[in-house]
Amino acid sequence: MDAAMMVAAAGAVIALVYQARVNDDVSALRSVLKTAPVALFSLAAMMSGAPWLLALGLALGAVGDFALSRKGEVAFMAGLGSFALAHLAYAVVFVGVEGRLAPFDLTALRWLGVAALVIMAQSTVIWLLPYTGGMKRPVAAYVAIISAMGLAALHLPAAQGLAMLGAGLFVASDLVLSVELFRMKEGSPATRLASHLVWPLYWVGQGLILVGIAWT
């Protein structure tokens, strides 16, 4: 195992440690544990010579992780903005950077992914946006951006299927998080369960994007 993979493995171990603390109160230790995994993934991408936009997207994800580990609307908006920029960086990587543009072969499975993304994005008008209060516009913009990232991931060739799967898990984590934040009662058993589900979907998704792009 080379140095970059060891760094990524260290990030995965910390992610597993954090899994047991997702519902802890806000603290410096909790913020460090939440931020470190994807920050280490970003470092691993840089060490591997992966596209710089991949490393940037992972770094922005780490910034978003830190922001969402804190309390308050300002922290939430900072996290939302960081993740939106991360999704945009991934979208550029997925559709082709530095001459890697691949033909868009829409197999039946990819068409299913396209349909799922379109339905998800359109349905937020009913089940999500009416419950976001003053954050309706930024949340709507975020939905559009993450949908674009998902569609871009469906552009990846079959050889980079792990990255495609990772993007799908990333979208799923955001979907669960949005339900947790805007449709569930804070402190309820359902919210605690959602918190435990969001984190593995998210960090495994980020890890698969790293593996699928950097080491495939």
Side-chain angles (χ1 to χ4, degrees):
M1 181 180 292
D2 66 18
M5 290 183 178
M6 290 179 66
V7 169
V13 170
I14 296 172
L16 289 171
V17 172
Y18 177 74
Q19 178 66 29
R21 309 184 68 107
V22 292
N23 288 313
D24 284 4
D25 292 334
V26 173
S27 68
L29 175 60
R30 182 177 180 274
S31 293
V32 169
L33 290 175
K34 184 175 176 66
T35 305
V38 179
L40 290 173
F41 289 171
S42 177
L43 177 59
M46 288 186 282
M47 293 171 66
S48 299
W52 69 270
L53 279 172
L54 174 65
L56 176 62
L58 289 163
L60 287 166
V63 172
D65 289 336
F66 177 80
L68 294 185
S69 73
R70 314 309 293 175
K71 286 186 176 180
E73 186 174 333
V74 173
F76 176 78
M77 292 303 297
L80 192 72
S82 296
F83 281 117
L85 291 173
H87 288 308
L88 289 174
Y90 287 159
V92 176
V93 172
F94 293 159
V95 298
V97 66
E98 298 176 357
R100 290 193 314 103
L101 187 62
F104 195 8
D105 179 21
L106 276 177
T107 62
L109 183 59
R110 294 180 195 241
W111 273 118
L112 183 61
V114 170
L117 284 167
V118 171
I119 291 171
M120 183 273 294
Q122 293 296 322
S123 67
T124 59
V125 176
I126 299 171
W127 65 266
L128 177 61
L129 295 182
Y131 302 91
T132 56
M135 292 185 284
K136 182 177 295 186
R137 288 185 178 180
V139 171
Y142 186 82
V143 170
I145 289 170
I146 193 172
S147 299
M149 186 278 292
L151 290 171
L154 291 170
H155 187 284
L156 288 166
Q160 292 175 311
L162 287 178
M164 192 186 305
L165 175 59
L169 292 177
F170 199 170
V171 172
S173 73
D174 273 346
L175 185 63
V176 175
L177 181 61
S178 65
V179 173
E180 177 191 352
L181 291 175
F182 298 111
R183 296 303 308 272
M184 292 182 178
K185 184 178 180 181
E186 186 175 357
S188 67
T191 299
R192 296 180 68 84
L193 178 62
S195 297
H196 281 287
L197 180 60
V198 166
W199 180 246
L201 287 172
Y202 166 73
W203 77 262
V204 172
Q206 293 276 47
L208 288 177
I209 289 172
L210 168 64
V211 172
I213 298 298
W215 297 321
T216 300

